[in-house]
């Protein structure tokens, strides 16, 4: 029995010893990766006829028993499962969401969140596109910059220009030095720019460079898909854009 307890404790400690955060599993399609101080990456898996099974990232920020989502899972069902798990397992009720552009992997669960009284925030460009496409529309809208505090956690939403889409924004957490780049930023394992159906490739590089000039203390960068990392993801994205424009 003592050996079994020792084995279980060792398995629990191994991730921490090697600097790898322990992943919290919600179900087969949803997991949470702790970053720091009750900030998590929410990772959800979906299936696509073109891309197969793929993962998408967002953030969960928990403060004072409340949760802020940065982007939703791609549909209402997964969003409901994530929200109920957060309330049941982490005692955190989702009260606000920021959506970073109009694609499903950002606001696919907005319908469910609106029905449960969650306040949504998005760029005015996103709201305009949502109205045209008859999608749920973010309640609170801004143009270039929105700063607010979520139970003491400063949050900065900013539009730098087009890239993955014409309306993509980023979210900066200055208290944690975490940048959510969303689909504007590519993971280091990405060999290309991905889905370009709504991209503004001519603006993409200058948009990322403006971001880099604005934030000088970035510690963690979370892309819309793939593994998170550091500021090197920004340089990698610029190189991918240059390679696409000049093959």
């Amino acid at each position: 029995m003592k050996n079994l307890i020792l084995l279980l404790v060792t398995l629990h400690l191994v991730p921490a010893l090697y600097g790898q955060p322990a992943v919290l599993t919600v179900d087969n399609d949803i997991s949470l990766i702790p970053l720091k101080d009750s900030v998590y990456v929410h990772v959800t898996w979906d299936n696509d006829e073109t891309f197969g099974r793929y993962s998408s990232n967002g953030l969960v920020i928990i403060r004072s028993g409340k949760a802020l989502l940065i982007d939703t899972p791609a549909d209402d069902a997964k969003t409901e499962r994530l929200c109920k798990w957060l309330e049941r397992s982490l005692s955190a009720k989702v009260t606000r969401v920021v959506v970073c552009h109009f694609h499903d992997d950002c606001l696919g669960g907005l319908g469910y969140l609106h029905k449960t009284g969650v306040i949504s925030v998005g760029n005015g460009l996103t709201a305009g596109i949502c109205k045209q496409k008859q999608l749920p529309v973010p309640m609170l809208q801004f143009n270039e910059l929105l700063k607010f505090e979520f139970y003491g956690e400063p949050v900065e939403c900013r539009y730098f220009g087009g890239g993955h889409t014409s309306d993509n924004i980023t979210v900066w957490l200055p208290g944690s030095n975490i940048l959510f780049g969303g689909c504007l930023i590519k993971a280091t394992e990405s060999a290309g720019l991905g889905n370009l159906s709504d991209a503004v490739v001519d603006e993409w590089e200058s948009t990322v460079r403006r971001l880099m000039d604005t934030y000088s203390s970035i510690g963690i960068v979370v892309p819309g898909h793939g593994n998170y990392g550091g500021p090197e993801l920004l340089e990698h994205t610029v190189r991918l854009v240059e390679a696409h424009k000049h093959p």
Side-chain angles (χ1 to χ4, degrees), residues 5-28:
I5 294 174
L6 179 61
L7 174 62
L8 292 173
V9 170
T10 302
L11 289 174
H12 177 72
L13 289 177
V14 164
L17 290 172
Y18 287 93
Q20 298 296 318
V23 175
L24 306 178
T25 300
V26 176
D27 56 35
N28 289 335

Side-chain angles (χ1 to χ4, degrees), residues 123-192:
N123 185 261
L125 293 173
T126 303
I129 296 171
C130 288
K131 290 175 183 176
Q132 291 175 3
K133 294 182 175 292
Q134 298 183 321
L135 299 171
V137 179
M139 299 172 180
L140 305 180
Q141 300 158 24
F142 70 97
N143 292 323
E144 292 186 2
L145 175 64
L146 175 67
K147 295 182 179 182
F148 65 91
E149 284 203 359
F150 185 75
Y151 295 92
E153 177 73 28
V155 180
E156 184 172 310
C157 309
R158 190 184 290 264
Y159 176 71
F160 287 99
H164 172 70
T165 60
S166 61
D167 65 319
N168 47 210
I169 66 168
T170 62
V171 178
W172 170 237
L173 305 179
S176 305
N177 292 334
I178 295 173
L179 174 72
F180 183 74
C183 295
L184 176 69
I185 303 304
K186 307 302 294 183
T188 52
E189 68 268 22
S190 297

Side-chain angles (χ1 to χ4, degrees), residues 64-82:
S64 302
K66 309 296 183 184
L68 165 66
L69 293 185
I70 310 298
D71 284 347
T72 78
D75 56 53
D76 285 336
K78 291 187 186 71
T79 301
E80 180 177 3
R81 279 148 50 195
L82 173 60

Side-chain angles (χ1 to χ4, degrees), residues 211-222:
L211 187 162
M212 295 165 67
D213 291 340
T214 301
Y215 302 127
S216 59
S217 58
I218 297 172
I220 295 174
V221 178
V222 180

